[in-house]
Amino acid sequence: MLQLEEHHLISQEYTLPMPYLCQVYHLLNLKHLESVHGFSLNNLKISQVGRFKATQSGGIIKFQTILNSSLSLLKMFRQPVVEVDLILHTPYTIELNVPVYNGKKIFVIFNVLPLGHSEHKLFIDIYSDLALPKPILQVLLHCASMLTLFEDLPYLQKLSKANIHHSINNSIHRGRASHETMQLFNRFIELYGSCLQQPPTFGAVELRPILNPS
């Protein structure tokens, strides 16, 4: 972690008026990258979902993404086709691991802190070893992160109105969602579904990422 600290670029913190499970569901649903972030990600497409590996406290899923737009600003940082890792570390920590040029990577760490039945905090930390001036990267990533959150809000509000606890309870009783893009959410339900009736209360939350899970 001391070696990675020098690659930390930005931190953001938001208090959002919806259950934390809405945020977890949203982050673990791969298809939302296409359906919700069409503008900020320039019509990024998920071409295939690859290997899924269960871990003791979560899981790792690999999926291929394609930048279809010839005008995509993301092509400044990455190839048109790359394999991305999405990692569930704990019930409250999720990592998005994106390869960029020359063997470099961008790590986005999401930490979700429940504040009750209808409110949570979202912490976003971004790390990268990209060989670009740090101030420029920080400005770009701050803008990109705020834009994606702005796009997420209507989706999160829709999930909140749909009573996410009820939907998850139904999922537990019916069995797993069949679509391969929901494998990490299925793993979340498998590990933590029986404990979702009452959101926990925390005095503090650990925000340090685990970037190389076994």
Side-chain angles (χ1 to χ4, degrees), residues 37 53 68 102 125 193:
H37 296 301
K53 177 185 177 182
N68 284 328
N102 299 319
D125 285 275

Side-chain angles (χ1 to χ4, degrees), residues 151-207:
E151 288 179 320
D152 280 331
L153 288 177
Y155 177 53
L156 291 170
Q157 290 168 351
K158 184 177 179 179
L159 288 175
S160 180
K161 291 178 181 178
N163 192 338
I164 191 67
H165 280 87
H166 178 71
S167 299
I168 287 178
N169 285 334
N170 284 344
S171 296
I172 294 171
H173 294 307
R174 289 197 310 264
R176 298 181 170 194
S178 60
H179 203 282
E180 60 184 358
T181 59
M182 296 299 291
Q183 290 179 88
L184 265 187
F185 181 69
N186 287 335
R187 179 61 174 162
F188 175 83
I189 294 298
E190 178 184 336
L191 290 173
Y192 309 110
S194 62
C195 304
L196 298 178
Q197 295 301 319
Q198 298 291 334
T201 300
F202 293 102
V205 62
E206 176 60 58
L207 299 181

Side-chain angles (χ1 to χ4, degrees), residues 39 44 80 85 92 128 143 209:
F39 177 73
L44 176 143
D85 292 347
Y92 314 106
S128 181
C143 292

Side-chain angles (χ1 to χ4, degrees), residues 81-196:
V81 180
V82 299
E83 187 176 64
V84 177
D85 292 347
L86 184 65
I87 305 170
L88 174 65
H89 287 294
T90 76
Y92 314 106
T93 302
I94 296 163
E95 173 187 336
L96 186 66
N97 183 330
V98 184
V100 289
Y101 286 118
N102 299 319
K104 307 297 185 180
K105 290 188 176 183
I106 292 177
F107 300 95
V108 186
I109 310 296
F110 304 95
N111 282 279
V112 184
L113 175 63
L115 297 178
H117 289 281
S118 58
E119 191 176 36
H120 71 277
K121 280 186 176 290
L122 174 66
F123 302 88
I124 303 172
D125 285 275
I126 301 182
Y127 298 76
S128 181
D129 54 357
L130 267 170
L132 290 175
K134 191 171 182 178
I136 294 176
L137 272 176
Q138 289 172 320
V139 170
L140 291 174
L141 291 172
H142 268 298
C143 292
S145 185
M146 287 187 290
L147 175 58
T148 54
L149 180 70
F150 180 77
E151 288 179 320
D152 280 331
L153 288 177
Y155 177 53
L156 291 170
Q157 290 168 351
K158 184 177 179 179
L159 288 175
S160 180
K161 291 178 181 178
N163 192 338
I164 191 67
H165 280 87
H166 178 71
S167 299
I168 287 178
N169 285 334
N170 284 344
S171 296
I172 294 171
H173 294 307
R174 289 197 310 264
R176 298 181 170 194
S178 60
H179 203 282
E180 60 184 358
T181 59
M182 296 299 291
Q183 290 179 88
L184 265 187
F185 181 69
N186 287 335
R187 179 61 174 162
F188 175 83
I189 294 298
E190 178 184 336
L191 290 173
Y192 309 110
S194 62
C195 304
L196 298 178

Side-chain angles (χ1 to χ4, degrees), residues 30 33-34 44-51 61-67 78 80-85 99 181:
L30 301 187
L33 296 172
E34 294 182 351
L44 176 143
K45 299 297 180 185
I46 297 173
S47 60
Q48 63 184 38
V49 179
R51 300 180 301 279
I61 192 166
K62 296 181 179 291
F63 59 101
Q64 191 176 83
T65 62
I66 299 176
L67 298 175
R78 49 159 283 184
V81 180
V82 299
E83 187 176 64
V84 177
D85 292 347
T181 59

